[in-house]
Amino acid sequence: MRMPIPDANIIAQRSEIIERLQQIVPRGEFGDSVIIDSAGLRAYECDGLSAYRQLPLIVVLPETTAQISRILTFCNEIGVKIVARGAGTSLSGGALPLADAVMLGLGKFNKILNIDYANRAVITQPGVTNLSISEAVSDADFYYAPDPSSQIVCSIGGNVAENSGGVHCLKYGLTTNNLLGLEMVLMNGDIIKLGGKYLGSEGYDLLGIISGSEGLLGVITEVTLRILKKPETARAMLIGFNNAALAGDCVATIIGSGIIPGGMEMMDKLAIEATEEFVHAGYPSNVETLLIVELDGPVVEVSDLIARVQNIANGLGSNYIRVSKNEAEREIFWAGRKAAFPAIGRITPDYYCVDGTIPRARLPEVLIKINEMSQKYKLRVANVFHAGDGNLHPLIMYDANELGELERAEEFGREILLLCVDVGGVLTGEHGVGVEKRDLMEKVFTEEDLKQQQRLKCAFDPNGLLNPGKVFPTLHRCAELGRVHVHHGETSFSDIPRF
Amino acid sequence: MKTDFTEVQRSNPLMQMMEENLRKCVHCGFCLPSCPTYSVLGDERESPRGRIYLIKDMLESRDAPNTETVSHVDSCLSCLACVSACPSGVDYQHYIDYARSYIEDHHQRPWFERFLRSLIVYIITHARFFRFVLRMARFAKPLSRFFSSKIFSVINMVPAELKVEKITNTAKIFPAKGLKIKRVSLLMGCAQNVLRPSINEATIRLLTRMNMEVVVTEGVGCCGALNHHIGKDSIARDLAKTNIDAWLTEFDQRGIDNIIVNAAGCGTEIKDYAYMFKDDLEYNEKAKKISNLTKDISELLSEHQLPSVSLSNQPNIIYHDACSLMYGQGITREPREHLKAVGFELTEIPGRHFCCGSAGSYNLLQPAMAETLKDRRLTLIDKVSKSNRASILATGNIGCLMQLASGTGLQVVHTVELLDWATGGLKPPN
Amino acid sequence: MSKRLIPHNKKEVLDIVRGVVNDEKSIEIIGAGSKRGWGRPNKTSALVDLSKISAITLYEPQELVMTAGGGTPIEDIQAILSENQQQLAFEPPDLSILYGGIKGAGTLGGIISTNLSGPRRIQSGAARDFCLGFDAISGRGEEFKSGGRVVKNVTGFDLAKLLSGSFGTLAIMVSITIKVLPKPEKTRTALVFGLDDKQGIQALSETFQGPFEVNAAAHLPADIATNSLIPLLNNRTLSVTAVRFQGPATSVCARCQGVKALWQSYGEVKELHGCNSASLWNEIGNVGSLLNGQTDQIWRISVPPSEGANLVAKIKSVVQCKTYFDWGGGLIWLAADGKLTEVGMAIRSVLGSIGGHATLMRGSAELRLTSDVFQPQTPVLSRLTRSIKDNFDPTHVLNPSRMYEGI
């Protein structure tokens, strides 16, 4: 992976930078919060995309917003780059360190600050895990809706930065749809607060653009989230088919009939087998494709919808239908799906997780083509798929110790993503561009499109110090982007008055 | 994960095991939220995933371990919560054990630390010496502020009053009250028998009432866990061999149906003898046999009908899972079922389960972290005890028992003491 | 009257903007021109009317997606969706009574640019949550796109959110892709009469604490309820607190019964079906018929729902005004005499202590110049806003100063 050339001048100042950081974040009871030794840095060399690794210049673990503000002010002044990191679970290398960048670990921001049932909101620090939010409000029968499969570990700050989805976002939306407010530190050290326990925000929708901005615009230090009352009941169904096309039809028919399930997931045979070994969810072994469809709401509604979905599935020749009988069974149906990625680690030393989105209707042909590619690249692939919203996660299995396999897996992944784009989809549904899909951005966006996105970056971080090398294949200088281009010959309205 | 070992390294079966585990780790981080030290510090180096990385670096570089790496390996409690959380099947238990012995072999600690580590483990695992030290320590208690924090923590753990053991001092065979249905060998434990002999007494009373003959097998001593967990592998193996030989002799000469352990930490260790000796030609079969015979007391009780309940107005209790029982042996259901069966009202501690900080000799070697974890656990426990007026906290491991008792007003007891009490035995001592 | 330019396609919009940039002039962008009274009055060299860029170019009901020109009449969109039993879940209100325009007028571009959302906002989200992607011409005279046609998409910055609610100050959206959703089978509304503001919001809050899946929740004080055209509301002088249920028939009936039982202790409980239910929520969303003072200034205030009643009480202690609540108490519509100049100040000084924002939705041109139409920003936010504007529209040719002076 080609990364920006490290700035030798910054590396040369390492000891001064360390000294300053140690002043800002002093040593605590349990040791140093400024990590400088190579073994310690090694622990931070990669995120969830472990194929790409790089030792950071320094890691600092601040505990307060004020410390972050001082760190950023200092780094901005002398031109040191910053890479923020939450739980380090990005699957696109969003938190991949840089040799000349300070890595800002937000692990110590791990407290929930306020739970407000009357306004159905939670204020939390960004290092708190996604699942902890739901756990904290579960006694009052509330929950936080977006539930990425890594919810047990991924942090809320990271969720905002990546605009994480999950298995329930078909009905309840992504992070951006459930975010009420933020506190954030800009690269120049300014602290801004956006939104709060109310709907909508003042002026431009900065909450909207910070969601999914992959750490390029600021460092999130506090998050206000909308929580929802748990549905009266939720039941999950396992529906098996002998081929993926029928499963695809089933998904389309369910949605076409006006039903929006809480979640609708698809797994192929390999994925079913691998996860079954970890969770023993009782997934059927005699099906090629398994759908997990969850219906939630009032009891009467759910029973009615289950019957309708059953009819649809039967009509399409499903060869396996099982409806969860209780909460424990429903949870175990999901447990398999949620652990699907790492569970693949049981059957392969390494895997590469792809994350494209396609229009639902194109699913069968895309799956056929992926299988053809699997033959071509001589690499196995397991498919896990957010069927309801067309978000595809082929898991390409490879062995990093075998020469050339990683490169083959990457090439395979690229081909899948370009196929997604070809059929009207996009490069990434929820894992982000990061470094992984960075160089494919030019395949979907024109130079003008990318320039416009980078101009937004310029408004927040004109020196380009936050998480460089991610998202954009080339980072233009803001001065160059800011120039107004004179369009020759277009003065057709010279007769209109000036003000 | 990509690994980079030499062929020479790969020829070592332990190193092969390490590599196999590394290959399985996909860096997903699912272990992070399960890790007590990560939950406190939010530092990747203090998480299982981070430690796997640090250790990988240490092994691959083949350099002497650096002190930072050593300190992060030392701070792992070996609570094994991460093992249950890992979807990819990484065997962190044996990974960290090996790392510890590797550090022991390749890293020179400062003399005082070396001395202290050896001393602490020696004392705890040698009953007579332990008793002596405890008596001395009681006098030293008022002076403890003059000692280093580690010594301070040892002294502070000393119970205010030392019980003089009764029955188990002398007798070695405790016959079944009625017609004998089983013969079991009870591990007395080293620290447990000194710190709270009533646990073994209650166990013996209960089992004999259930018509089992209980024997204390001659020659069986410390299980080796404490040494094992600070990287002193050869001592641990020697202790294990002694025990294996003693039990086998008992098995061959007089016959035993099971080896019963009521200190969960020891149970985990003995059940792991099979793994410890898997590459040892002489001992692998023997160790396997011993591991297979071994059961936690709660497992044994599940196979039989508990005696009839004689107690009434049982108090409300709170049950704390010992990590060694919950993660090490996968036992969570049985103790709860037994307690309910004899009429105790059981309350669960809310939130995610975390280690109480005891973890063998951890609370002596890492007092600050142990104290933090204890406080966290007790904050939750005290909250529940207030809301449901529970006065007793039950657990299945002596370490947790001592650790929690040192910070709460609740009476902390071993599960088996309650079971014995409710079915005609004695009330557990305070 | 400024010059009106009517482009027919993207290329013509591009030419217009490039011309304006070169000539250092400025333009106001309109669709149907139905919401021109919203925002600061601005003087521009010309009016760009997008009403001819109005084709629905893609509609795949099974994929829940539609792409249409920025100038597509919202009525056309709603009609075709309705034929397919689908709808815009964010329920964009018709502000024609408020602004005195043609009933039902408005375009997709206008609704997205103002991020206009109705009562269902509390459950389904705002217009911005349904905007999946767009093609636009920036204030630099550059064509660009963002987003796509699928819901799950994090490929690059989410500029669709930025342009939603930017009032045409950053770019002209020529084509917009939105997510659409199935129409509910059945709708029903539960009412309880006679509660004061505080009790009313409390009653609404209780419905959110239960398993009722309320998708709209409003409280109309007696002086507002009386303006309703629904006989059940206007033939008595009582406040009315209302929640709406939508979904499969059996579920709607069960949930409605549940809330009626919950509310029994509060007072007289009734329900509205079909047409009456729809009319009530139209009135609440459309504002104009409930706050019917022709010359009144109208404010929209967003606050934490639990603070709604408190805030209104405080404002009423300094300014004479009428108010009602939507969004479970979190959205306050306020009408006061159009000549009063201190209303905005009063609202915002109260807001300062509890958090939230207020927008002057309607007022005389003079009032819209003197009061901040949109919530004033902190210096840091203001700097950021200016910087974004400068990066998209450096010479300020698009709707200059419509939101904030100099933006």
Side-chain angles (χ1 to χ4, degrees):
Chain A
M1 183 51 60
R2 184 178 50 84
M3 293 306 283
I5 299 160
D7 185 340
N9 187 30
I10 294 297
I11 295 173
Q13 296 176 64
R14 185 167 183 264
S15 47
E16 292 94 88
I17 299 170
I18 290 169
E19 197 181 321
R20 186 79 187 94
L21 292 177
Q22 283 169 337
Q23 283 165 10
I24 299 173
V25 188
R27 199 179 161 81
E29 185 190 2
F30 293 101
D32 217 329
S33 293
V34 180
I35 302 167
I36 52 177
D37 67 294
S38 70
L41 294 174
R42 182 71 64 197
Y44 287 88
E45 73 173 359
C46 68
D47 53 23
L49 182 66
S50 60
Y52 302 141
R53 286 168 291 170
Q54 168 64 51
L55 284 190
L57 181 69
I58 302 162
V59 176
V60 58
L61 307 173
E63 282 186 64
T64 65
T65 303
Q67 286 174 345
I68 293 184
S69 170
R70 290 173 65 197
I71 293 169
L72 265 55
T73 307
F74 164 68
C75 289
N76 197 41
E77 272 163 17
I78 64 164
V80 181
K81 297 165 187 148
I82 293 280
V83 178
R85 170 185 162 117
T89 57
S90 169
L91 291 167
S92 58
L96 179 70
L98 298 170
D100 59 346
V102 169
M103 169 153 276
L104 203 63
L106 291 152
K108 293 190 188 288
F109 280 72
N110 56 7
K111 283 159 210 76
I112 294 175
L113 303 173
N114 175 263
I115 296 174
D116 182 345
Y117 293 116
N119 292 309
R120 300 170 291 284
V122 166
I123 303 179
T124 175
Q125 292 191 320
V128 169
T129 64
N130 172 296
L131 187 62
S132 303
I133 308 284
S134 288
E135 284 177 352
V137 297
S138 133
D139 280 352
D141 276 336
F142 276 83
Y143 75 113
Y144 173 61
D147 59 340
S149 295
S150 57
Q151 67 177 146
I152 188 167
V153 49
C154 62
S155 70
I156 283 294
N159 283 186
V160 174
E162 300 292 324
N163 189 15
S164 304
V167 298
H168 286 94
C169 62
L170 175 61
K171 186 168 174 183
Y172 297 102
L174 309 156
T175 305
T176 185
N177 312 112
N178 291 278
L179 178 67
L180 293 173
L182 282 180
E183 179 192 76
M184 186 169 94
V185 185
L186 302 179
M187 191 61 216
N188 67 0
D190 281 345
I191 299 168
I192 57 166
K193 284 196 178 253
L194 303 169
K197 292 175 182 172
Y198 45 85
L199 296 172
S201 58
E202 314 83 345
Y204 294 146
D205 186 1
L206 301 187
L207 281 178
I209 50 174
I210 285 154
S211 307
S213 61
E214 303 200 23
L216 269 71
L217 302 183
V219 176
I220 296 159
T221 49
E222 195 180 289
V223 183
T224 306
L225 301 165
R226 180 172 77 135
I227 50 169
L228 299 177
K229 188 75 187 174
K230 280 185 196 162
E232 191 177 28
T233 189
R235 292 171 76 188
M237 305 171 72
L238 299 179
I239 304 174
F241 286 97
N242 268 336
N243 73 60
L246 283 176
D249 286 348
C250 186
V251 170
T253 317
I254 291 171
I255 290 177
S257 73
I259 301 171
I260 303 291
M264 188 143 56
E265 297 290 302
M266 194 186 284
M267 290 197 277
D268 72 1
K269 205 171 175 67
L270 260 179
I272 298 168
E273 284 168 6
T275 54
E276 181 62 18
E277 205 190 317
F278 173 53
V279 293
H280 310 292
Y283 292 158
S285 55
N286 62 337
V287 302
E288 286 300 313
T289 306
L290 185 68
L291 287 180
I292 308 177
V293 180
E294 177 161 296
L295 297 151
D296 60 5
V299 177
V300 280
E301 178 173 332
V302 171
S303 330
D304 178 37
L305 294 181
I306 282 186
R308 289 197 218 176
V309 171
Q310 253 168 337
N311 274 338
I312 293 170
N314 281 326
L316 289 165
S318 156
N319 61 348
Y320 181 91
I321 298 182
R322 191 167 139 214
V323 183
S324 69
K325 285 188 226 42
N326 50 46
E327 192 58 14
E329 197 171 44
R330 182 185 78 87
E331 276 171 11
I332 197 130
F333 283 5
W334 282 118
R337 165 60 189 89
K338 290 200 169 173
F341 295 0
I344 295 289
R346 289 176 177 257
I347 55 172
T348 174
D350 302 275
Y351 67 82
Y352 175 50
C353 175
V354 186
D355 166 49
T357 305
I358 56 168
R360 273 181 295 267
R362 311 297 294 269
L363 172 66
E365 61 177 296
V366 168
L367 285 180
I368 290 168
K369 285 194 179 144
I370 289 176
N371 278 331
E372 286 167 10
M373 290 179 212
S374 169
Q375 311 276 324
K376 179 171 121 191
Y377 288 100
K378 297 192 177 60
L379 291 171
R380 289 186 300 166
V381 61
N383 282 294
V384 179
F385 184 42
H386 300 299
D389 36 35
N391 190 194
L392 197 63
H393 292 313
L395 299 158
I396 301 168
M397 293 173 240
Y398 70 99
D399 183 341
N401 282 10
E402 291 295 322
L403 201 66
E405 277 212 3
L406 168 63
E407 290 71 21
R408 239 169 44 233
E410 286 179 314
E411 193 48 46
F412 186 176
R414 266 194 287 278
E415 202 173 327
I416 294 176
L417 290 178
L418 293 177
L419 172 65
C420 291
V421 174
D422 270 356
V423 300
V426 296
L427 287 180
T428 170
E430 55 183 359
H431 296 170
V433 176
V435 289
E436 181 214 6
K437 282 154 281 199
R438 184 191 67 191
D439 295 345
L440 291 174
M441 289 288 273
E442 285 162 329
K443 305 270 184 194
V444 253
F445 290 116
T446 63
E447 199 181 334
E448 301 281 83
D449 299 339
L450 290 174
K451 275 187 177 167
Q452 201 49 59
Q453 297 206 20
Q454 288 191 31
R455 289 195 183 102
L456 184 65
K457 162 91 171 159
C458 291
F460 284 82
D461 172 24
N463 301 327
L465 295 173
L466 280 167
N467 217 7
K470 317 290 169 67
V471 184
F472 300 111
T474 41
L475 206 55
H476 297 279
R477 304 182 75 84
C478 288
E480 171 200 332
L481 287 167
R483 255 176 244 139
V484 180
H485 180 69
V486 177
H487 308 278
H488 295 288
E490 281 132 346
T491 54
S492 28
F493 304 106
S494 49
D495 55 331
I496 53 181
R498 298 179 184 216
F499 286 91
Chain B
M1 186 189 292
K2 190 173 176 359
T3 53
D4 190 15
F5 287 105
T6 61
E7 286 313 313
V8 179
Q9 283 180 313
R10 284 191 177 123
S11 63
N12 172 351
L14 281 166
M15 204 62 101
Q16 273 171 25
M17 177 277 287
M18 298 300 276
E19 182 172 22
E20 198 179 297
N21 272 313
L22 280 167
R23 305 294 324 269
K24 276 191 183 153
C25 175
V26 294
H27 216 254
C28 68
F30 275 40
C31 51
L32 265 59
S34 73
C35 178
T37 53
Y38 182 78
S39 80
V40 171
L41 298 173
D43 181 345
E44 182 78 18
R45 299 171 299 171
E46 289 290 342
S47 75
R49 182 176 67 177
R51 291 186 180 108
I52 287 174
Y53 246 64
L54 292 170
I55 294 165
K56 171 179 187 275
D57 195 47
M58 170 178 87
L59 299 176
E60 283 177 349
S61 71
R62 298 182 296 282
D63 294 337
N66 81 5
T67 50
E68 288 283 333
T69 301
V70 171
S71 82
H72 298 301
V73 171
D74 282 352
S75 68
C76 168
L77 296 128
S78 279
C79 69
L80 308 183
C82 53
V83 178
S84 307
C86 177
S88 313
V90 175
D91 176 7
Y92 180 85
Q93 180 183 0
H94 297 113
Y95 186 85
I96 192 90
D97 280 346
Y98 178 69
R100 288 187 161 132
S101 88
Y102 184 92
I103 288 171
E104 197 63 18
D105 294 345
H106 295 84
H107 173 71
Q108 178 88 301
R109 293 175 191 269
W111 75 267
F112 182 70
E113 203 183 325
R114 282 204 310 274
F115 167 72
L116 198 69
R117 286 167 73 86
S118 302
L119 182 69
I120 285 174
V121 173
Y122 184 86
I123 294 172
I124 300 176
T125 56
H126 291 76
R128 286 172 120 176
F129 194 37
F130 193 18
R131 229 169 274 135
F132 169 75
V133 170
L134 289 181
R135 291 214 173 86
M136 292 297 105
R138 285 178 57 209
F139 297 110
K141 240 182 174 175
L143 307 172
S144 60
R145 62 198 163 92
F146 298 113
F147 297 103
S148 83
S149 68
K150 283 178 185 174
I151 294 180
F152 176 82
S153 64
V154 180
I155 293 173
N156 257 351
M157 218 185 90
V158 174
E161 191 186 344
L162 274 180
K163 293 272 185 297
V164 179
E165 325 72 296
K166 288 164 261 171
I167 49 172
T168 50
N169 255 354
T170 48
K172 296 294 176 203
I173 297 179
F174 304 89
K177 293 280 181 243
L179 189 64
K180 180 168 82 175
I181 57 166
K182 250 184 193 170
R183 186 167 196 272
V184 297
S185 171
L186 177 65
L187 177 81
M188 303 302 283
C190 28
Q192 169 166 297
N193 215 25
V194 175
L195 292 169
R196 197 171 170 89
S198 58
I199 298 174
N200 285 335
E201 290 166 9
T203 308
I204 292 166
R205 279 194 304 269
L206 180 65
L207 294 183
T208 51
R209 276 208 306 286
M210 290 168 73
N211 296 329
M212 292 184 221
E213 180 170 291
V214 182
V215 298
V216 178
T217 299
E218 187 94 36
V220 169
C222 170
C223 67
L226 290 181
N227 279 296
H228 193 190
H229 290 151
I230 61 165
K232 296 186 181 298
D233 263 20
S234 58
I235 302 180
R237 285 169 75 89
D238 287 346
L239 290 168
K241 281 183 184 172
T242 311
N243 292 342
I244 291 169
D245 290 336
W247 272 318
L248 280 179
T249 308
E250 176 93 47
F251 183 86
D252 292 339
Q253 294 180 357
R254 289 170 289 275
I256 40 171
D257 296 298
N258 285 120
I259 294 163
I260 298 306
V261 185
N262 54 17
C266 310
T268 308
E269 180 75 4
I270 298 167
K271 287 180 176 179
D272 201 43
Y273 282 175
Y275 185 91
M276 190 186 267
F277 293 101
K278 71 179 171 45
D279 300 314
D280 185 309
L281 289 179
E282 190 190 349
Y283 270 88
N284 68 9
E285 284 306 317
K286 294 179 182 180
K288 212 183 283 172
K289 187 162 188 175
I290 295 305
S291 289
N292 288 340
L293 279 175
T294 304
K295 284 199 163 107
D296 183 72
I297 177 72
S298 59
E299 289 177 287
L300 176 74
L301 295 179
S302 286
E303 294 167 7
H304 301 274
Q305 185 77 35
L306 286 165
S308 55
V309 179
S310 57
L311 194 68
S312 54
N313 296 326
Q314 283 87 332
N316 287 352
I317 59 166
I318 300 168
Y319 179 75
H320 164 81
D321 285 289
C323 297
S324 42
L325 207 52
M326 182 176 187
Y327 302 122
Q329 301 178 54
I331 297 171
T332 52
R333 189 175 43 83
E334 295 85 345
R336 290 176 168 82
E337 283 174 0
H338 301 149
L339 288 166
K340 284 180 192 157
V342 300
F344 291 101
E345 192 72 47
L346 196 67
T347 309
E348 294 292 337
I349 304 164
R352 221 170 272 169
H353 176 268
F354 277 120
C355 176
C356 64
S358 163
S361 56
Y362 188 92
N363 53 351
L364 305 178
L365 296 169
Q366 305 280 336
M369 177 55 74
E371 197 64 18
T372 307
L373 292 172
K374 180 175 84 180
D375 290 348
R376 284 192 167 199
R377 200 74 195 133
L378 283 175
T379 307
L380 286 173
I381 290 172
D382 288 343
K383 213 157 85 189
V384 197
S385 76
K386 280 197 189 79
S387 64
N388 74 342
R389 296 193 307 282
S391 56
I392 296 181
L393 176 61
T395 187
N397 189 38
I398 180 67
C400 313
L401 193 152
M402 298 305 295
Q403 171 83 347
L404 293 170
S406 68
T408 175
L410 297 173
Q411 185 185 6
V412 191
V413 303
H414 193 287
T415 312
V416 79
E417 292 180 280
L418 292 177
L419 300 179
D420 171 53
W421 177 34
T423 59
L426 298 180
K427 189 168 191 229
N430 260 329
Chain C
M1 188 73 189
S2 31
K3 190 179 174 81
R4 183 184 285 251
L5 307 165
I6 309 179
H8 289 73
N9 52 45
K10 184 156 59 171
K11 174 75 173 62
E12 289 180 11
V13 178
L14 193 64
D15 288 345
I16 290 172
V17 177
R18 288 183 172 179
V20 177
V21 171
N22 283 353
D23 294 351
E24 297 171 39
K25 291 173 183 164
S26 62
I27 45 177
E28 178 179 350
I29 304 113
I30 62 166
S34 59
K35 292 182 273 291
R36 290 181 71 192
W38 188 356
R40 299 176 81 256
N42 54 1
K43 291 188 207 158
T44 53
S45 328
L47 202 59
V48 175
D49 175 344
L50 298 177
S51 61
K52 295 289 182 232
I53 301 182
S54 58
I56 295 176
T57 51
L58 177 144
Y59 176 38
E60 292 179 11
Q62 285 211 338
E63 298 278 330
L64 308 176
V65 64
M66 175 185 275
T67 304
T72 312
I74 204 70
E75 282 194 314
D76 291 4
I77 290 176
Q78 278 165 333
I80 187 173
L81 287 175
S82 208
E83 280 169 26
N84 289 279
Q85 312 311 318
Q86 293 189 328
Q87 64 174 10
L88 297 172
F90 56 95
E91 207 175 6
D94 171 9
L95 299 181
S96 58
I97 308 178
L98 196 72
Y99 293 121
I102 303 158
K103 184 174 184 308
T107 59
L108 179 60
I111 280 167
I112 298 296
S113 296
T114 54
N115 190 24
L116 184 58
S117 322
R120 208 188 283 105
R121 163 79 178 92
I122 52 168
Q123 189 196 49
S124 303
R128 53 88 96 169
D129 295 297
F130 290 82
C131 181
L132 303 180
F134 64 80
D135 275 351
I137 310 297
S138 75
R140 297 172 172 273
E142 288 174 356
E143 185 187 335
F144 70 107
K145 64 173 182 297
S146 178
R149 51 161 291 184
V150 289
V151 175
K152 274 232 183 131
N153 180 8
V154 290
T155 319
F157 294 142
D158 194 353
L159 299 184
K161 296 280 187 301
L162 182 65
L163 293 201
S164 305
S166 67
F167 285 78
T169 58
L170 300 176
I172 303 175
M173 285 190 272
V174 286
S175 169
I176 300 171
T177 301
I178 50 170
K179 172 179 146 181
V180 299
L181 281 173
K183 239 186 184 160
E185 270 171 44
K186 194 175 183 70
T187 299
R188 198 164 270 190
T189 297
L191 307 172
V192 57
F193 292 93
L195 309 187
D196 66 22
D197 288 358
K198 207 170 163 203
Q199 292 168 324
I201 290 169
Q202 173 61 29
L204 296 177
S205 175
E206 280 174 23
T207 67
F208 291 112
Q209 312 293 327
F212 305 113
E213 298 191 12
V214 164
N215 78 4
H219 172 76
L220 314 180
D223 58 344
I224 300 293
T226 187
N227 293 337
S228 169
L229 297 174
I230 301 160
L232 191 63
L233 272 70
N234 64 23
N235 62 12
R236 53 180 102 191
T237 48
L238 284 175
S239 73
V240 59
T241 306
V243 293
R244 182 175 65 187
F245 314 92
Q246 297 191 308
T250 45
S251 160
V252 166
C253 296
R255 286 183 277 147
C256 186
Q257 285 312 316
V259 166
K260 281 171 70 184
L262 182 79
W263 278 356
Q264 212 56 243
S265 60
Y266 277 108
E268 189 192 354
V269 179
K270 291 271 183 207
E271 56 187 67
L272 293 180
H273 297 191
C275 270
N276 275 338
S277 173
S279 305
L280 173 64
W281 294 104
N282 280 336
E283 286 180 343
I284 291 168
N286 300 349
V287 189
S289 59
L290 294 179
L291 298 177
N292 58 4
Q294 296 292 314
T295 57
D296 281 353
Q297 53 181 305
I298 308 252
W299 289 82
R300 189 182 72 174
I301 310 163
S302 181
V303 288
S306 66
E307 300 288 349
N310 180 21
L311 176 106
V312 164
K314 281 188 181 156
I315 296 171
K316 283 188 171 168
S317 71
V318 284
V319 175
Q320 197 188 0
C321 59
K322 289 181 171 185
T323 55
Y324 72 89
F325 302 86
D326 193 0
W327 296 358
L331 179 70
I332 297 156
W333 288 98
L334 180 149
D337 187 321
K339 288 189 286 297
L340 295 175
T341 52
E342 70 278 17
V343 182
M345 195 80 90
I347 295 171
R348 285 173 177 143
S349 78
V350 180
L351 264 184
S353 58
I354 59 175
H357 53 99
T359 307
L360 174 58
M361 292 294 290
R362 188 182 75 187
S364 64
E366 198 193 337
L367 190 65
R368 285 183 285 132
L369 273 178
T370 50
S371 297
D372 290 302
V373 170
F374 295 92
Q375 183 71 20
Q377 298 181 312
T378 60
V380 179
L381 202 51
S382 174
R383 185 179 59 71
L384 212 47
T385 301
R386 183 171 298 272
S387 181
I388 292 170
K389 170 75 174 177
D390 290 347
N391 272 293
F392 279 74
D393 178 17
T395 53
H396 295 206
V397 298
L398 305 178
N399 280 356
S401 298
R402 173 101 182 235
M403 294 184 81
Y404 302 98
E405 195 176 355
I407 296 297

